[in-house]
Amino acid sequence: MTKRREFIKSLAALSGLSLTGCGWKLGNVRSQTTTKGQRDQLYLFTWTQYTDDKELLKAFTSQTGIKLFADLYDSNEVMLAKMLAGGGGAYSVIYPTDYVVQKMLDKDLLAEIKRDRLVGIDNLFTQFQNPPYDPNNRYSIPFTWGTTGFIYNTEALTTPPDSWEYLWKNSDKLNRKMTLLSDTREVFGAVLKMLGYSYNSKNESEIKQAYEKLQELKPSLSGFDTDAWRNKILSGDLLLAMCYSGDAIKIMKENPKFKYVIPKNGTSLWTDTLVIHKYAPNPDGAYAWINYLLQPEVSAKLTTHQSLATPNQASFDLLPKRYQNNTSLFPSEEILNKCERLSPLGDIEEVYDRYWTQLTSG
């Protein structure tokens, strides 16, 4: 399984929050479906790497009387596969990344958002109020956003890895000391960008070129992973990891010798969202949770406590200057102009999947 964002397991006892590891331990969840419609219980399907705060969880339950329960996934692909296999009806709120919202819409999995039930939606930055992946946020609400880049050990690598080419040029020094994300579109997208193509290329020849470049690099990689790199880079087993900005900032807080850099060739720009399942067992609870996260004070705390970039202008205005000026959290317009959002690619995604399987096998 692959990809981004962890309700801390130590919080399981708080507010009734129940965690099931990586989202596939479904026996417990399915056995409770007869009670999930209860107004005082809300079941979420969310990223493994997203963390929340004890105080915020307590405050939500205190405000609403609703207890939170969550299953976890670490890949959009894992989440979507479960939805399509019929396992999504257990959850009221799900956290897909922007380009997956359209896929879920195409499969008729989402309820249309009733804007008259939202409080604070107008606080979003202008660019998040009418996003290309979901015009006017009819089916999704932006939760957090970020970029993809490198975290690296500045004591070991005195020259910043400021481009994707850096990995190939320094493969000897980085031999078995670097990782790439376990994510098909992100990894292929990065190499396509390096080759001068789009992250969203539909040209099979271009995709093949990216695959061949990755095959060159593979012997020097420690592996493809989205989560395990954290402990490895802190212990010194890795010098560099391809990662998501929010994850990098957490590591930088632990040890300032690590830095995050966005490749100068450009990278991906992503937004993780909140959606309501078409057959949500507790839609009232879903709106309560979304409205809670839209509160400026709550969203600001998620930024300061959990290093999640807020799409909420009112929340941003509450942040201390050191967060507002943190270019790892909030990159400059110059950098953002070089970034691309991932978009659904239709049948050509089968080509990506085939090359990914070849790349990661053996």
Side-chain angles (χ1 to χ4, degrees):
M1 293 188 292
T2 57
K3 225 172 176 196
R4 201 171 35 244
R5 281 50 85 193
E6 166 176 293
F7 277 91
I8 300 176
K9 295 181 181 178
S10 63
L11 301 184
L14 285 169
S15 306
L17 186 65
S18 172
L19 303 178
T20 60
C22 38
W24 286 105
K25 299 179 181 177
L26 304 179
N28 223 6
V29 170
R30 288 178 176 165
S31 68
Q32 298 182 55
T33 54
T34 57
T35 64
K36 283 192 176 181
Q38 295 179 10
R39 293 173 61 87
D40 64 349
Q41 296 180 359
L42 182 66
Y43 285 76
L44 313 175
F45 200 22
T46 186
W47 289 99
T48 59
Q49 294 159 299
Y50 273 138
T51 59
D52 211 332
D53 181 278
K54 295 180 181 181
E55 195 176 303
L56 295 179
L57 284 173
K58 285 182 176 179
F60 174 72
T61 299
S62 176
Q63 286 182 24
T64 64
I66 299 171
K67 295 180 180 180
L68 292 171
F69 298 83
D71 275 350
L72 310 178
Y73 59 88
D74 57 5
S75 155
N76 279 300
E77 289 72 27
V78 167
M79 177 275 291
L80 190 57
K82 181 175 175 181
M83 297 296 105
L84 296 176
Y91 308 103
S92 292
V93 179
I94 308 160
Y95 289 60
T97 302
D98 44 25
Y99 74 99
V100 182
V101 172
Q102 184 60 57
K103 290 186 176 185
M104 296 180 80
L105 272 174
D106 291 343
K107 300 298 182 181
D108 198 26
L109 295 172
L110 303 181
E112 185 168 358
I113 300 289
K114 298 178 181 178
R115 293 181 72 88
D116 60 351
R117 300 195 62 179
L118 298 176
V119 179
I121 186 67
D122 293 336
N123 287 330
L124 294 175
F125 282 104
T126 302
Q127 61 265 39
F128 292 102
Q129 292 196 21
N130 188 31
Y133 59 86
D134 182 20
N136 298 314
N137 292 309
R138 289 183 61 195
Y139 296 90
S140 64
I141 303 299
F143 170 59
T144 186
W145 65 280
T147 56
T148 304
F150 301 124
I151 187 170
Y152 71 102
N153 185 328
T154 61
E155 293 179 356
L157 301 175
T158 55
T159 302
D162 63 352
S163 69
W164 295 111
E165 291 92 341
Y166 182 96
L167 305 185
W168 281 261
K169 292 178 179 178
N170 295 274
S171 59
D172 290 342
K173 185 171 185 177
L174 293 170
N175 188 42
R176 313 300 290 180
K177 293 284 187 177
M178 60 177 165
T179 59
L180 298 180
L181 288 168
S182 184
D183 185 288
T184 309
R185 292 292 307 281
E186 285 282 8
V187 170
F188 271 86
V191 182
L192 286 163
K193 194 74 171 175
M194 180 183 76
L195 295 172
Y197 306 131
S198 169
Y199 250 80
N200 299 299
S201 174
K202 292 185 177 182
N203 184 314
E204 185 165 355
S205 173
E206 295 173 358
I207 299 166
K208 182 180 179 182
Q209 290 176 55
Y211 165 74
E212 290 170 347
K213 289 295 292 184
L214 286 163
Q215 281 285 45
E216 290 177 24
L217 188 66
K218 184 179 177 181
S220 300
L221 294 174
S222 173
F224 298 89
D225 77 67
T226 305
D227 296 315
W229 64 265
R230 297 182 187 86
N231 289 333
K232 292 178 181 178
I233 203 165
L234 286 168
S235 67
D237 291 334
L238 292 177
L239 300 180
L240 177 150
M242 180 186 181
C243 66
Y244 301 103
S245 51
D247 296 333
I249 294 164
K250 295 183 184 76
I251 296 295
M252 290 158 59
K253 283 184 176 180
E254 291 186 48
N255 192 324
K257 76 178 181 182
F258 297 104
K259 299 295 182 186
Y260 176 71
V261 63
I262 298 172
K264 61 186 179 184
N265 347 37
T267 187
S268 69
L269 176 66
W270 48 263
T271 303
D272 282 342
T273 72
L274 305 165
V275 301
I276 300 175
H277 194 278
K278 186 174 183 178
Y279 301 109
N282 188 356
D284 291 338
Y287 281 104
W289 180 240
I290 292 172
N291 283 332
Y292 179 72
L293 294 175
L294 283 171
Q295 293 180 36
E297 296 81 4
V298 172
S299 184
K301 283 183 179 178
L302 286 168
T303 297
T304 57
H305 293 187
Q306 309 300 336
S307 305
L308 302 178
T310 178
N312 190 316
Q313 172 77 69
S315 300
F316 181 85
D317 292 341
L318 294 176
L319 295 174
K321 290 296 183 184
R322 68 181 184 277
Y323 287 94
Q324 293 181 353
N325 297 329
N326 185 331
T327 55
S328 294
L329 265 176
F330 302 104
S332 68
E333 284 298 318
E334 181 183 2
I335 292 294
L336 293 178
N337 288 337
K338 296 180 180 179
C339 296
E340 288 185 74
R341 288 189 180 277
L342 296 177
S343 61
L345 298 178
D347 292 343
I348 198 68
E349 290 190 8
E350 296 177 5
V351 175
Y352 281 87
D353 291 341
R354 183 175 75 247
Y355 281 121
W356 179 255
T357 299
Q358 293 175 25
L359 177 67
T360 56
S361 299

